[in-house]
Amino acid sequence: MSDYCHQDIVSRRDFLTRSTLGLGGVALASLLNPAKSMAGIASDGGGMLDKLHFAPKAKRVIYLFQSGGPSQMELFDYKPLLQKRRGEELPDSVRGNQRLTGMTSHQKSFPMAGSVFDFQQHGQSGAWVSELMPHTAQVVDELCFVKTMYTEAINHDPAITFFQTGSQQNGRPSIGSWVSWGLGSDNNNLPSFCVLLSRGREGGQPLYAKLWGSGFLPSLHQGVQFRSGKDPVLYLNDPPGLKKNSRRRMLDYLKELHQIQYEKVKDPEISSRIAQYEMAYRMQTSVPETMDISKEPDYIYDMYGPESRIPGTYSANCLLARRLIERDVKFVQLYHQGWDQHGNLPNDIKIQAKSTDQASAALVMDLKQRGLLEDTLVIWGGEFGRTNYSQGRLTETNYGRDHHPRCFSIWMAGGGVKKGFTYGETCEFGYNIAKNPVHVHDFQATLMHLMGVDHEKLTFKHQGRRFRLTDVHGKVVNDIIA
C-alpha cells in the first residue's frame, strides 16, 4: 500500500468520513452474491440456485402494482345484473358472513351499484373492457385476464404486504428480493431489482420501503428505488472534491479491510457491504445513461402519452421500466398510488384510469415490437378489489365502493402466459367466485414457475426454520400458462 500513500493523502478522519458518503451504502442493492461465494461457488452475478428447476418462460418481470384496490366493476368484470337491479338490497345469501371493513360494517343497507360506464367486447378474444380503458382494450389479445383473484387481507397495508412478500406481517423478503437472491443478475452494472413510484392526482395510500425490502435475505437484494429529478438514486454521486481515482483506491483499501474482518467473524454482511459499494461505483456511469430518456424518438413519447415526458409520472416510469428491462434488469416494480375510491368513484376512477391506461398498453406493445414481450412477464393489478354495493349513499350519478378481498381482477402479458385468455368467473352479482379461484400464494407460485423456479424449493433458513415466498401454501395455475 505504500506506493499509494504519497498520493492524495487524507487524514484518518477524512478517510472514514468519505468512505461512508456518496455510494448509497444500505440504500443500494447489488448483483454480486458474496454468500454464494462463501459457499465455494463463484460470484459471477448468478443466484443461489445452481440451476433452474424448469425451463423458464420469463427472464424478466415488470410488475405494475396499482395501489389502493382498483374497482374490477368499473374496469374488467362486466356485471349487467347489477345495472338491472341497481339500488336493490344485496341478498343476504350472496353476501353471506363475509368480513366487512369498519367503513361499511355499520351500514344498515347495502344497495347494489352497477357501473355507470359502458362495457364492450374487444379483439378476437372478445374480452370485456370498460370505456375507461380504451388503450388496454386495443391490446386484449396480448393479455391474460384473471378474474378470480382473492385474498384474506381486507385493509391496505396487510393486503399489499401480503402480495409483495407472501405474508401480512412485516419482515419477509419481497418478490423481487427472492428473484434477485435466487436467480442473480444478467447485468453487473445495474441492480437486479429496481423500484419506481408514481402518484395519481388524488394521492393515495402510503407506500413503505418494506414492500421492496430484503427481509432476512442478504441486504444487497433489497430493491433500489429510482427517483425522478437530479439524483435518481440517493447518495450515489461522489462528494465534492473527491476524484475518481481516489474513490477507486479507497474502495480497494476498503475491500482489503473488509476481507480481514470477514476472516475473523465470518459475517456475510461484511462482504455484502463492499459489494454494495462496488455496485454503486459502477452505477455512477450506468444509471445516468439509463435514466436519460431525452433521446427517445417522438413516436415513443406519443405511444406512452404526453405525461411520459414528465419525470416521475406513471407514463414516464413505464418507459423507464422498458429501458431497465432492455438492460437486463431482472425485476422492475412500479407502484402507482390513487385507486382507493370509497366515495365519488365515477369521477375519481376516470382520472386514475386516464393516467395509467395508455402507458400500460404502450408498454406491452413496445416490448412486443422490440422482441422482449415473449420472455418478459408484465403484471397489472392491486391488492384487492371493490364491493358490488355502494359505500354510503347511492345516487344516479355517484357512489363509492369499499374494499373487497373475495374476488377481483388482474391481467398479465408475455412471459409464457396465454394470450387473449380469460381465466375464472365470478358470480352474476360480482361478489363471489363461481369458478377457478386464484389465491395470492397461487399467483406467487405461478410467477416463480414462469421464471423457472419451483416455489417450494427456493427457501432460506432463518431462525431455525426454512422460509419461502409462498409460506406453506400456493399451487401453480397451469391453465394460464402457454
Side-chain angles (χ1 to χ4, degrees):
M1 291 187 185
S2 59
D3 293 340
Y4 292 106
C5 291
H6 298 292
Q7 303 177 46
D8 296 331
I9 296 176
V10 295
S11 69
R12 177 177 177 272
R13 175 176 293 178
D14 287 341
F15 174 80
L16 293 174
T17 299
R18 291 183 181 182
S19 69
T20 60
L21 295 175
L23 286 172
V26 297
L28 297 176
S30 83
L31 310 173
L32 301 178
N33 201 327
K36 183 174 180 179
S37 180
M38 292 165 201
I41 304 173
S43 181
D44 56 359
M48 289 302 295
L49 292 176
D50 292 331
K51 61 180 180 179
L52 295 175
H53 305 125
F54 319 103
K57 293 180 178 292
K59 295 180 180 178
R60 302 164 294 270
V61 175
I62 300 176
Y63 195 162
L64 309 174
F65 196 91
Q66 311 301 315
S67 174
S71 173
Q72 73 280 12
M73 301 296 176
E74 269 63 44
L75 302 177
F76 306 119
D77 203 8
Y78 179 48
K79 295 300 171 185
L81 180 66
L82 294 180
Q83 283 289 37
K84 294 178 182 178
R85 301 183 61 173
R86 183 182 180 84
E88 294 183 23
E89 197 69 17
L90 177 65
D92 290 340
S93 60
V94 175
R95 185 160 65 90
N97 296 318
Q98 187 196 4
R99 177 186 174 200
L100 303 178
T101 75
M103 291 169 283
T104 55
S105 60
H106 65 281
Q107 287 189 192
K108 296 180 180 180
S109 176
F110 297 90
M112 290 183 285
S115 175
V116 298
F117 301 104
D118 291 332
F119 277 74
Q120 290 185 2
Q121 289 180 285
H122 296 272
Q124 294 183 350
S125 61
W128 288 97
V129 179
S130 159
E131 63 179 297
L132 290 174
M133 294 286 189
H135 295 278
T136 302
Q138 295 176 18
V139 299
V140 291
D141 288 338
E142 298 293 335
L143 308 184
C144 176
F145 289 95
V146 179
K147 299 288 188 70
T148 50
M149 287 298 309
Y150 74 99
T151 178
E152 291 81 32
I154 199 170
N155 290 312
H156 294 287
D157 187 73
I160 192 171
T161 303
F162 193 24
F163 250 103
Q164 299 300 291
T165 71
S167 173
Q168 296 186 44
Q169 306 300 319
N170 299 338
R172 299 285 185 88
S174 59
I175 300 177
S177 294
W178 280 111
V179 170
S180 173
W181 179 73
L183 303 184
S185 171
D186 298 320
N187 184 339
N188 286 332
N189 295 321
L190 286 169
S192 58
F193 178 21
C194 298
V195 179
L196 299 163
L197 274 60
S198 57
R199 182 187 297 270
R201 297 181 186 178
E202 301 302 316
Q205 292 293 324
L207 298 172
Y208 304 102
K210 66 178 182 179
L211 299 174
W212 52 92
S214 57
F216 43 70
L217 295 178
S219 59
L220 60 147
H221 297 292
Q222 64 188 321
V224 176
Q225 183 180 345
F226 282 51
R227 296 166 167 83
S228 61
K230 183 180 178 181
D231 297 313
V233 179
L234 295 180
Y235 314 117
L236 182 64
N237 296 324
D238 292 332
L242 185 66
K243 298 178 181 179
K244 198 71 174 177
N245 60 345
S246 298
R247 171 64 74 190
R248 182 65 264 167
R249 287 198 302 274
M250 185 198 72
L251 290 176
D252 292 340
Y253 293 152
L254 274 176
K255 187 174 183 179
E256 293 181 31
L257 293 172
H258 278 83
Q259 186 61 35
I260 293 171
Q261 183 69 6
Y262 172 72
E263 293 298 330
K264 292 181 179 179
V265 299
K266 304 296 183 182
D267 182 359
E269 280 300 308
I270 294 174
S271 292
S272 293
R273 188 175 302 115
I274 193 61
Q276 289 170 336
Y277 286 134
E278 291 287 352
M279 167 55 68
Y281 182 80
R282 297 192 297 272
M283 285 171 63
Q284 288 178 337
T285 300
S286 61
V287 168
E289 185 274 332
T290 301
M291 299 293 286
D292 181 12
I293 62 174
S294 62
K295 296 180 181 179
E296 291 284 342
D298 288 340
Y299 81 88
I300 289 293
Y301 289 119
D302 294 339
M303 179 186 294
Y304 282 85
E307 290 189 347
S308 61
R309 297 179 182 271
I310 305 173
T313 62
Y314 179 80
S315 298
N317 284 351
C318 283
L319 178 52
L320 282 174
R322 187 265 287 163
R323 291 176 64 85
L324 289 166
I325 287 298
E326 281 185 304
R327 289 155 179 78
D328 292 319
V329 171
K330 189 74 72 176
F331 202 100
V332 181
Q333 177 82 62
L334 274 69
Y335 292 95
H336 187 64
Q337 299 167 275
W339 289 98
D340 191 26
Q341 285 117 19
H342 290 272
N344 199 32
L345 183 145
N347 178 71
D348 292 350
I349 199 171
K350 185 185 297 183
I351 297 172
Q352 191 73 4
K354 185 177 181 180
S355 69
T356 59
D357 172 46
Q358 182 172 353
S360 299
L363 177 61
V364 172
M365 295 310 297
D366 198 6
L367 291 171
K368 182 178 180 179
Q369 71 182 8
R370 294 168 190 272
L372 292 169
L373 185 60
E374 183 176 348
D375 55 8
T376 301
L377 179 65
V378 182
I379 305 164
W380 188 104
E383 65 266 39
F384 42 55
R386 314 303 292 199
T387 55
N388 67 347
Y389 60 81
S390 178
Q391 177 178 339
R393 184 167 176 261
L394 172 66
T395 71
E396 288 296 320
T397 59
N398 203 7
Y399 52 91
R401 298 194 192 277
D402 199 5
H403 308 163
H404 190 66
R406 187 169 289 190
C407 59
F408 55 102
S409 302
I410 68 170
W411 60 254
M412 295 181 278
V417 297
K418 291 180 178 177
K419 298 180 180 181
F421 185 69
T422 295
Y423 184 77
E425 297 177 12
T426 57
C427 71
E428 59 183 349
F429 292 92
Y431 198 85
N432 296 300
I433 293 174
K435 182 181 179 182
N436 296 329
V438 179
H439 187 263
V440 172
H441 286 313
D442 300 335
F443 160 78
Q444 294 162 340
T446 305
L447 186 158
M448 299 303 286
H449 182 90
L450 291 168
M451 298 288 287
V453 177
D454 184 336
H455 69 105
E456 295 183 353
K457 294 181 180 179
L458 185 63
T459 63
F460 187 92
K461 191 172 183 179
H462 174 65
Q463 295 183 341
R465 175 193 162 187
R466 292 195 177 277
F467 288 86
R468 70 184 203 225
L469 172 63
T470 52
D471 197 27
V472 296
H473 309 282
K475 61 182 183 299
V476 175
V477 186
N478 288 300
D479 288 344
I480 71 171
I481 298 176

